[in-house]
Amino acid sequence: MNSSVVVAVGIAATVVAIVGYIGYRRQEGARLDREAALASRLRELAGGDPVRLAAVDEFETRIYQRLFGVSTVSPRVTAAAWAFLGAVLSTVGLLATKPLEGALYDAVFYLLIAFAVIFAIAFLVLLVLAVYAATSLPRISFEDAYVDEPDATSVEPGSPGTAAAD
């Protein structure tokens, strides 16, 4: 098989993968909006039932945790994906114009070198920012909010109201 065909298929696969990923990320925001509206509706339907309200609370907690990722990490990864696509396409154009002769082709060639370098640097910077956001930004945890609440199902031995204390 000709190596240029393999390269062309690889480039096409890269473009399709990046565009597909970005489309998926855009749909994630809409999905979270629908789930937040559903959680609000479920809270109304739960009324005063504590079991149903606990289930809705758990559902909302998961939504907020995903929303945190979508609002902090995802934009950086998406921007890095766009920069990577720009670097790939600039490099492809660079390689396509290399064998051509003439002043116009030389100008396009050097312009594409500049684009490839700029996009590659942008990709690396955005990738570092995405990794930093994914690893260092604080995470939402609702477990700490429930630490002070007494557990109604367990009673410590020796506490008032137990047979050992009487």
Side-chain angles (χ1 to χ4, degrees), residues 95-102 105-106 109:
L95 296 174
T97 59
K98 177 60 180 154
L100 301 175
E101 299 279 333
Y105 293 118
D106 287 343
F109 178 76

PDB file of all heavy atoms in Angstrom, residues 95-102 105-106 109:
ATOM      1  N   LEU A  95       3.519  20.228   4.080  1.00  0.00           N
ATOM      2  CA  LEU A  95       4.101  19.129   3.301  1.00  0.00           C
ATOM      3  C   LEU A  95       3.589  19.107   1.862  1.00  0.00           C
ATOM      4  O   LEU A  95       4.306  18.697   0.952  1.00  0.00           O
ATOM      5  CB  LEU A  95       3.818  17.791   3.988  1.00  0.00           C
ATOM      6  CG  LEU A  95       4.465  17.615   5.356  1.00  0.00           C
ATOM      7  CD1 LEU A  95       4.001  16.318   5.993  1.00  0.00           C
ATOM      8  CD2 LEU A  95       5.984  17.664   5.248  1.00  0.00           C
ATOM      9  N   ALA A  96       2.385  19.569   1.663  1.00  0.00           N
ATOM     10  CA  ALA A  96       1.820  19.577   0.307  1.00  0.00           C
ATOM     11  C   ALA A  96       2.431  20.674  -0.559  1.00  0.00           C
ATOM     12  O   ALA A  96       2.542  20.519  -1.773  1.00  0.00           O
ATOM     13  CB  ALA A  96       0.308  19.745   0.378  1.00  0.00           C
ATOM     14  N   THR A  97       2.838  21.785   0.059  1.00  0.00           N
ATOM     15  CA  THR A  97       3.384  22.884  -0.736  1.00  0.00           C
ATOM     16  C   THR A  97       4.899  22.815  -0.887  1.00  0.00           C
ATOM     17  O   THR A  97       5.473  23.582  -1.664  1.00  0.00           O
ATOM     18  CB  THR A  97       3.029  24.254  -0.114  1.00  0.00           C
ATOM     19  OG1 THR A  97       3.541  24.317   1.214  1.00  0.00           O
ATOM     20  CG2 THR A  97       1.534  24.473  -0.116  1.00  0.00           C
ATOM     21  N   LYS A  98       5.554  21.926  -0.191  1.00  0.00           N
ATOM     22  CA  LYS A  98       7.012  21.859  -0.238  1.00  0.00           C
ATOM     23  C   LYS A  98       7.553  21.582  -1.651  1.00  0.00           C
ATOM     24  O   LYS A  98       8.485  22.240  -2.084  1.00  0.00           O
ATOM     25  CB  LYS A  98       7.521  20.798   0.759  1.00  0.00           C
ATOM     26  CG  LYS A  98       9.011  20.596   0.748  1.00  0.00           C
ATOM     27  CD  LYS A  98       9.736  21.881   1.092  1.00  0.00           C
ATOM     28  CE  LYS A  98      11.232  21.666   1.075  1.00  0.00           C
ATOM     29  NZ  LYS A  98      11.980  22.859   0.813  1.00  0.00           N
ATOM     30  N   PRO A  99       7.002  20.640  -2.385  1.00  0.00           N
ATOM     31  CA  PRO A  99       7.605  20.356  -3.693  1.00  0.00           C
ATOM     32  C   PRO A  99       7.304  21.398  -4.781  1.00  0.00           C
ATOM     33  O   PRO A  99       7.842  21.320  -5.876  1.00  0.00           O
ATOM     34  CB  PRO A  99       7.006  19.001  -4.081  1.00  0.00           C
ATOM     35  CG  PRO A  99       5.758  18.888  -3.306  1.00  0.00           C
ATOM     36  CD  PRO A  99       5.951  19.694  -2.061  1.00  0.00           C
ATOM     37  N   LEU A 100       6.473  22.382  -4.479  1.00  0.00           N
ATOM     38  CA  LEU A 100       6.103  23.368  -5.496  1.00  0.00           C
ATOM     39  C   LEU A 100       7.130  24.495  -5.560  1.00  0.00           C
ATOM     40  O   LEU A 100       7.794  24.812  -4.590  1.00  0.00           O
ATOM     41  CB  LEU A 100       4.707  23.916  -5.188  1.00  0.00           C
ATOM     42  CG  LEU A 100       3.593  22.857  -5.148  1.00  0.00           C
ATOM     43  CD1 LEU A 100       2.293  23.494  -4.711  1.00  0.00           C
ATOM     44  CD2 LEU A 100       3.431  22.173  -6.493  1.00  0.00           C
ATOM     45  N   GLU A 101       7.223  25.113  -6.716  1.00  0.00           N
ATOM     46  CA  GLU A 101       8.209  26.178  -6.958  1.00  0.00           C
ATOM     47  C   GLU A 101       7.488  27.494  -7.189  1.00  0.00           C
ATOM     48  O   GLU A 101       6.352  27.524  -7.649  1.00  0.00           O
ATOM     49  CB  GLU A 101       9.039  25.843  -8.212  1.00  0.00           C
ATOM     50  CG  GLU A 101       9.823  24.558  -8.118  1.00  0.00           C
ATOM     51  CD  GLU A 101      11.117  24.716  -7.355  1.00  0.00           C
ATOM     52  OE1 GLU A 101      11.660  25.829  -7.335  1.00  0.00           O
ATOM     53  OE2 GLU A 101      11.575  23.723  -6.777  1.00  0.00           O
ATOM     54  N   GLY A 102       8.168  28.594  -6.872  1.00  0.00           N
ATOM     55  CA  GLY A 102       7.631  29.925  -7.148  1.00  0.00           C
ATOM     56  C   GLY A 102       7.548  30.755  -5.879  1.00  0.00           C
ATOM     57  O   GLY A 102       7.548  30.240  -4.763  1.00  0.00           O
ATOM     58  N   TYR A 105       4.303  30.164  -3.748  1.00  0.00           N
ATOM     59  CA  TYR A 105       4.382  28.918  -2.994  1.00  0.00           C
ATOM     60  C   TYR A 105       5.369  29.027  -1.835  1.00  0.00           C
ATOM     61  O   TYR A 105       5.148  28.450  -0.765  1.00  0.00           O
ATOM     62  CB  TYR A 105       4.747  27.749  -3.909  1.00  0.00           C
ATOM     63  CG  TYR A 105       3.657  27.428  -4.898  1.00  0.00           C
ATOM     64  CD1 TYR A 105       3.871  27.536  -6.267  1.00  0.00           C
ATOM     65  CD2 TYR A 105       2.393  27.034  -4.467  1.00  0.00           C
ATOM     66  CE1 TYR A 105       2.873  27.259  -7.176  1.00  0.00           C
ATOM     67  CE2 TYR A 105       1.391  26.745  -5.362  1.00  0.00           C
ATOM     68  CZ  TYR A 105       1.633  26.851  -6.721  1.00  0.00           C
ATOM     69  OH  TYR A 105       0.641  26.569  -7.611  1.00  0.00           O
ATOM     70  N   ASP A 106       6.441  29.771  -2.043  1.00  0.00           N
ATOM     71  CA  ASP A 106       7.394  29.982  -0.949  1.00  0.00           C
ATOM     72  C   ASP A 106       6.737  30.779   0.186  1.00  0.00           C
ATOM     73  O   ASP A 106       6.918  30.455   1.360  1.00  0.00           O
ATOM     74  CB  ASP A 106       8.638  30.723  -1.446  1.00  0.00           C
ATOM     75  CG  ASP A 106       9.527  29.840  -2.304  1.00  0.00           C
ATOM     76  OD1 ASP A 106       9.358  28.594  -2.252  1.00  0.00           O
ATOM     77  OD2 ASP A 106      10.388  30.397  -3.027  1.00  0.00           O
ATOM     78  N   PHE A 109       4.389  28.517   1.931  1.00  0.00           N
ATOM     79  CA  PHE A 109       5.172  27.539   2.676  1.00  0.00           C
ATOM     80  C   PHE A 109       5.634  28.127   4.011  1.00  0.00           C
ATOM     81  O   PHE A 109       5.460  27.514   5.074  1.00  0.00           O
ATOM     82  CB  PHE A 109       6.367  27.074   1.832  1.00  0.00           C
ATOM     83  CG  PHE A 109       7.251  26.098   2.530  1.00  0.00           C
ATOM     84  CD1 PHE A 109       6.877  24.779   2.676  1.00  0.00           C
ATOM     85  CD2 PHE A 109       8.478  26.502   3.047  1.00  0.00           C
ATOM     86  CE1 PHE A 109       7.693  23.871   3.326  1.00  0.00           C
ATOM     87  CE2 PHE A 109       9.306  25.606   3.685  1.00  0.00           C
ATOM     88  CZ  PHE A 109       8.915  24.291   3.827  1.00  0.00           C
TER      89      PHE A 109
END
